[in-house]
């Protein structure tokens, strides 16, 4: 089983739609979780951290479900500029500071 | 620009040649990471440094790969006797010791081995 699994998509949604991505992780003792955004042929950029209580940043909401070992990202009122690949990232315990990335979920927002 | 920089941005080489990439981290960051990313995959960890000390190496890093960070500032990643399977994007990231998750990535070096 992969350490971090994501649906690769693509998710094709119209502007203004709400879209949600899920990601599952295998190590139940993992403590740190993040979403990174990666535009085509660009470097990954930290979008948001995922806290146990859930967190929101504008149109973006991240949630963590430890019991089911999954992380979600909700994007409301999608914009054309949200089109990108969203990478689910985990820092498992006893792995130092290295990040384990999922394969990414591709989002395409159309007019 | 005070972000992470990498050079070259693109490298095309023939199989069997050696290549070296350079990464300049954000100046006040003391941790530096190397990742590799192939098409359709997320970045995979290769190695990381705290100051000049190399603290961890992935099993992905074969004997043909070597990384250095001699003065705790910039880092180099060398691949000897390149193989076609080495073709990938090589990403460098840096962070403070605390808050390692806040890793800031450079634009990457795209390697093509022909």
């Amino acid at each position: 089983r992969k350490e971090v699994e994501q649906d690769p998509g693509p998710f094709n949604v119209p502007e203004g739609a709400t879209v949600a991505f899920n990601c599952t992780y295998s190590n139940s003792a993992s403590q740190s979780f993040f979403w990174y955004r990666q535009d085509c042929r660009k470097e990954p950029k930290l979008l948001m951290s995922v806290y146990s209580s859930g967190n929101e940043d504008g149109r973006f909401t991240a949630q963590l479900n430890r019991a089911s070992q999954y992380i979600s990202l909700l994007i409301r009122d999608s914009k054309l500029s949200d089109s990108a690949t969203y990478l689910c990232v985990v820092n498992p315990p006893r792995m130092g500071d290295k990040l384990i990335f999922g394969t990414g979920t591709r989002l395409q927002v159309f007019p | 620009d005070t972000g992470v920089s990498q050079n070259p941005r693109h490298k095309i080489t023939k199989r069997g040649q050696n290549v070296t990439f350079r990464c300049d981290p954000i100046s006040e960051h003391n941790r530096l990471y190397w990742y590799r990313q192939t098409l359709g995959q997320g970045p995979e960890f290769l190695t990381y440094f705290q100051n000049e000390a190399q603290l961890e190496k992935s099993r992905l890093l074969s004997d043909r790969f070597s990384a250095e960070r001699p003065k705790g500032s910039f880092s180099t990643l060398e691949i000897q006797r390149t193989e076609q399977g080495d073709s990938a994007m090589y990403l460098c990231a840096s962070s403070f010791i605390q808050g390692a998750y806040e890793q800031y990535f450079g634009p990457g070096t795209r390697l093509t081995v022909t």
Side-chain angles (χ1 to χ4, degrees), chain A residues 69-81:
Chain A
Q69 293 178 221
Y70 80 78
I71 309 148
S72 65
L73 178 68
L74 182 78
I75 305 175
R76 290 181 298 276
D77 189 22
S78 299
K79 311 291 184 191
L80 294 176
S81 57

Side-chain angles (χ1 to χ4, degrees), chain A residues 54-90:
Chain A
N55 49 304
E56 187 173 316
D57 183 2
R59 298 181 294 107
F60 298 82
T61 301
Q63 292 195 315
L64 169 64
N65 184 318
R66 287 191 183 276
S68 301
Q69 293 178 221
Y70 80 78
I71 309 148
S72 65
L73 178 68
L74 182 78
I75 305 175
R76 290 181 298 276
D77 189 22
S78 299
K79 311 291 184 191
L80 294 176
S81 57
D82 293 334
S83 298
T85 295
Y86 291 84
L87 297 161
C88 176
V89 186
V90 176

Side-chain angles (χ1 to χ4, degrees), chain B residues 5-62:
Chain B
S5 63
Q6 292 186 246
N7 288 289
R9 295 290 305 277
H10 304 274
K11 179 71 177 178
I12 300 173
T13 191
K14 292 184 177 179
R15 189 175 51 192
Q17 297 296 304
N18 299 343
V19 294
T20 300
F21 310 141
R22 175 177 170 131
C23 170
D24 287 86
I26 294 171
S27 58
E28 57 269 29
H29 285 181
N30 39 27
R31 285 203 168 169
L32 186 149
Y33 310 79
W34 285 99
Y35 291 84
R36 180 173 68 187
Q37 186 174 25
T38 53
L39 196 63
Q41 301 297 315
E44 296 174 294
F45 171 81
L46 293 178
T47 187
Y48 87 96
F49 294 83
Q50 181 169 306
N51 300 316
E52 65 275 8
Q54 187 173 19
L55 296 188
E56 190 168 350
K57 290 172 62 173
S58 164
R59 281 172 289 183
L60 291 174
L61 220 62
S62 76

Side-chain angles (χ1 to χ4, degrees), chain B residues 3 10 16 26 30 32 43 46 56 63 65 77 80 89 104 111:
Chain B
H10 304 274
I26 294 171
N30 39 27
L32 186 149
L46 293 178
E56 190 168 350
D63 291 345
F65 288 71
L77 177 68
Q80 295 182 326
M89 175 74 86
Y104 296 87
L111 172 67

Side-chain angles (χ1 to χ4, degrees), chain B residues 70-85:
Chain B
K71 297 182 180 178
S73 56
F74 73 91
S75 174
T76 57
L77 177 68
E78 181 183 16
I79 309 174
Q80 295 182 326
R81 305 181 302 283
T82 52
E83 301 173 357
Q84 287 187 320

